[in-house]
Amino acid sequence: MNYFKDEPKGIVVSMDVNQSGHVYAIWFPYTKEYMKQVREGALLAVKNYDSNSYSNSFSILELTTALPRHYALGSSASDAERAFPGFVIEAAKNARIDWEQEEPIEQTTKIRGDAICTGLQLTINGNESKLEADNSLPMVGEDAHMLTDEQIKRIVNKGLVETGINTITPCNLIINKEIPVHIATEDLLKTHFGIFGFTGSGKSNLISNIIYNLCNIGEPNKVILFDLMTEYAGILIDVLHQNEDAYILYLSKDSLPGSQSLEAYLRGDKSKINEIVDSFAKTLLLPKDLVESRLKFKDKIKDIISSNKIRIFDSGSHKPNNNELIAQLFGFKAVQKPDQEGEDAIDSFIKEILQEDDLNPVSIESLERLSRSIAEILQNKKIPVYSTTENSSLNNWGVSEQGRSNPSKEVALKPNATKYLKSIKNTIDDLINETNQEPFPSNAILSFSDIIRLINDGNNPIFLLIQSNRDDEIRFFSSNLVNRTFEDRRIKGKIFPHTLFIFDEADEFIPQNVPKDSSYAASKSGCNLLARRGRKFGLGIAIATQRLAYLDTSILAQPHTFLLSKMPRAYDRQVIAGAFGVSEELLNKTLSFNTGQWLLFSYDATGLTNVPIPVQFPNANDRIKKFLK
């Protein structure tokens, strides 16, 4: 069996130590052809001190840098700056000729690489070989052999293919597109993962690929994606169409695309199906590559709607409690921007009317009382200002319980404060109408109990795409769903099926500093529960963001697997380096990645653990185009 390629062959010239451990400088002879083979991510074998007269042991190293170097120009840019300009220019002209060489004859040109240990050792004894833990060190001065494709595949996927562990293969090595990278699904889902990349790195595309793989490998995996930006329906249209239990769940009626017509359809009026499909297709958020194919989505959208895969969340007994409703109402101030005096008066007034048990659902009586009081304020164009006094009688604003406040004065409503108050009243009136309205039929809704039943079904994969046009609403919902699912699993002692909660734009769910009782605090609490205790019950979390520095660091430290792409902000790279013990020099290499190229690092979900693997994911847009044909 051939373990190594004949050429190119390097030599280990030095050893150093940095944050990643031992780093080895390796020189290869230079040719244009060798530059295509000696690349970042290549695996090398170097004889180590475990070798003896009976067998040869080789430490497996991974190249983290590989650059051509012409030593007539010095070993760095600073060398060239210090040299005589005439000499540098003449040397550069000669170097241009040397770069064209097809045979490694010039000693002034080298391919200079840095390599790190993978923790694996290849021991060869005659015709037999084995991969085992590397407890030795490569020897400086020894040859650095490039491994054959067969050996690379064996090392990268060690312990996954031959043992029959369930895996997905969503990506391939950058250095060799023919070598798939296996990822163990149980370890990926239960021990959490993170996806961190800047705009344009292909983060949404990557998430689409992972979800497609998880839902199409014959396992009953459950995937819940909180789609804050409503961008995933288009790039997951095939999963929604092909999988029996795949749904788009809208958290409120006003989140529906083409709200009134689609609502009527869900209630049983099928007469405007074509109008609904047109509206849905027009508002579908698509990447540039798919915009020209927008009309081709219509047939698939129609099938999805006709198959009852568009659902409205049925809160059932879970109407918003005091904290949830107040946070939702106060969220309007960011848009309407009332004056400070008006904002303070409105906020204190709302809290006075809604003084109930914080954790119990707000009663219809309180909602109606609040609506009437706001209508009177809007008519009089004045808002009461409260000061705390003992009170047991009904005041003019509907406050009647002992210990509540009396208004001490009134302030005039200014234009923006009026808009703020009108937005609050519209939301309250919608809640009242929903309570009084005829319920949706059962094939148009999903309740918490329905979702948990789907999650615990051990037969089929489930994909649930959660969307809402209100950020607070989706944050509160995520917290409630996580907590209910966790409690159900804990009480019943269930650890299967594996269930993954994906939080895209994770900085909107788990920021570092959050106001108490806000929707941010709720979603952060749910994510913290998943990250710290979810794996005991088969529940995992995936966090994806381009704004890494804003994330809560205690949750950020929990994922055992992460994928990194371009992160131009130095601080973001420093956060990752500190959280996962990876050198900043290594992370800097991601800046040269093309779209779809990622650094995969895992403690347990990959065959090659604790070592960064440069991988290439396919373009999900190509998969969607093929599906639409």
Side-chain angles (χ1 to χ4, degrees), residues 74-107:
S75 58
S76 66
S78 59
D79 288 345
E81 291 292 334
R82 289 194 297 266
F84 175 62
F87 172 77
V88 173
I89 293 172
E90 193 62 32
K93 290 179 180 179
N94 292 330
R96 183 177 59 191
I97 299 172
D98 293 339
W99 294 138
E100 298 296 327
Q101 67 187 35
E102 299 294 339
E103 296 292 333
I105 54 176
E106 288 292 338
Q107 292 302 309

Side-chain angles (χ1 to χ4, degrees), residues 196 556-562 564 575-582 601 603:
F196 311 120
L556 178 62
Q558 297 301 316
H560 283 208
T561 301
F562 61 93
L564 305 173
V575 171
I576 280 290
F580 299 103
V582 181
F601 188 102
Y603 295 120

Side-chain angles (χ1 to χ4, degrees), residues 153-370:
K153 186 185 300 184
R154 175 188 177 191
I155 291 168
V156 168
N157 298 311
K158 179 181 179 293
L160 297 182
V161 178
E162 66 273 16
T163 57
I165 292 175
N166 291 327
T167 65
I168 56 174
T169 52
C171 54
N172 299 73
L173 293 179
I174 290 178
I175 59 169
N176 190 332
K177 304 295 195 302
E178 302 303 315
I179 298 179
V181 177
H182 289 254
I183 304 175
T185 54
E186 181 174 356
D187 290 321
L188 179 69
L189 300 187
K190 286 177 59 177
T191 60
H192 320 313
F193 65 94
I195 299 171
F196 311 120
F198 200 62
T199 301
S201 60
K203 177 168 57 71
S204 302
N205 200 294
L206 169 61
I207 292 173
S208 172
N209 274 313
I210 290 177
I211 291 175
Y212 178 83
N213 276 268
L214 289 173
C215 292
N216 288 280
I217 58 167
E219 295 181 48
N221 297 317
K222 318 298 179 181
V223 181
I224 298 94
L225 171 59
F226 298 101
D227 185 9
L228 199 70
M229 306 302 291
T230 64
E231 61 179 309
Y232 282 96
I235 55 176
L236 284 166
I237 192 77
D238 50 350
V239 176
L240 290 164
H241 187 276
Q242 293 173 335
N243 289 67
E244 181 180 349
D245 288 315
Y247 305 93
I248 304 178
L249 179 64
Y250 295 96
L251 298 186
S252 55
K253 294 182 299 182
D254 57 356
S255 298
L256 292 168
S259 298
Q260 292 183 347
S261 298
L262 185 49
E263 180 187 347
Y265 180 92
L266 295 176
R267 292 188 182 280
D269 180 3
K270 313 295 184 183
S271 61
K272 296 183 178 180
I273 180 63
N274 291 328
E275 176 186 320
I276 293 167
V277 170
D278 287 343
S279 177
F280 202 116
K282 286 178 182 177
T283 58
L284 198 62
L285 191 61
L286 297 173
K288 289 181 180 179
D289 284 357
L290 295 177
V291 170
E292 292 183 356
S293 303
R294 186 178 296 276
L295 294 179
K296 295 181 180 180
F297 280 82
K298 286 188 175 182
D299 288 342
K300 306 301 183 184
I301 293 171
K302 188 172 184 178
D303 290 343
I304 288 170
I305 295 174
S306 301
S307 300
N308 301 318
K309 293 185 173 185
I310 303 295
R311 300 293 181 101
I312 291 284
F313 174 59
D314 176 26
S315 60
S317 61
H318 182 78
K319 293 181 173 60
N321 63 38
N322 184 42
N323 285 342
E324 293 172 342
L325 181 58
I326 287 175
Q328 181 179 342
L329 299 180
F330 286 4
F332 292 119
K333 69 181 68 173
V335 178
Q336 307 298 355
K337 296 181 171 55
D339 61 284
Q340 192 62 53
E341 185 180 39
E343 176 187 326
D344 292 343
I346 291 171
D347 290 357
S348 63
F349 171 76
I350 297 298
K351 289 180 178 178
E352 284 295 326
I353 298 293
L354 293 179
Q355 281 193 33
E356 300 179 0
D357 185 344
D358 288 348
L359 300 181
N360 284 332
V362 177
S363 66
I364 186 66
E365 292 79 11
S366 292
L367 295 174
E368 290 174 341
R369 183 167 66 246
L370 180 56

Side-chain angles (χ1 to χ4, degrees), residues 433-497:
N433 291 335
E434 286 180 12
T435 303
N436 297 328
Q437 198 170 41
E438 192 72 24
F440 284 93
S442 60
N443 64 356
I445 60 173
L446 283 176
S447 64
F448 277 127
S449 58
D450 293 328
I451 296 171
I452 291 173
R453 175 181 51 80
L454 288 170
I455 288 175
N456 288 334
D457 173 31
N459 297 315
N460 300 313
I462 303 294
F463 174 56
L464 201 57
L465 182 62
I466 313 294
Q467 294 188 346
S468 172
N469 65 349
R470 290 191 288 269
D471 294 354
D472 284 329
E473 187 174 47
I474 200 168
R475 281 191 284 264
F476 275 125
F477 177 85
S478 71
S479 176
N480 279 311
L481 179 58
V482 166
N483 279 279
R484 286 167 178 256
T485 304
F486 179 86
E487 282 303 307
D488 182 80
R489 289 274 177 104
R490 184 186 65 81
I491 291 170
K492 295 176 181 177
K494 292 180 69 70
I495 61 172
F496 186 82

Side-chain angles (χ1 to χ4, degrees), residues 578-598:
F580 299 103
V582 181
S583 71
E584 289 184 48
E585 291 81 4
L586 186 60
L587 295 179
N588 290 341
K589 303 304 176 184
T590 62
L591 296 174
S592 63
F593 278 4
N594 297 320
T595 300
Q597 293 182 339
W598 295 80

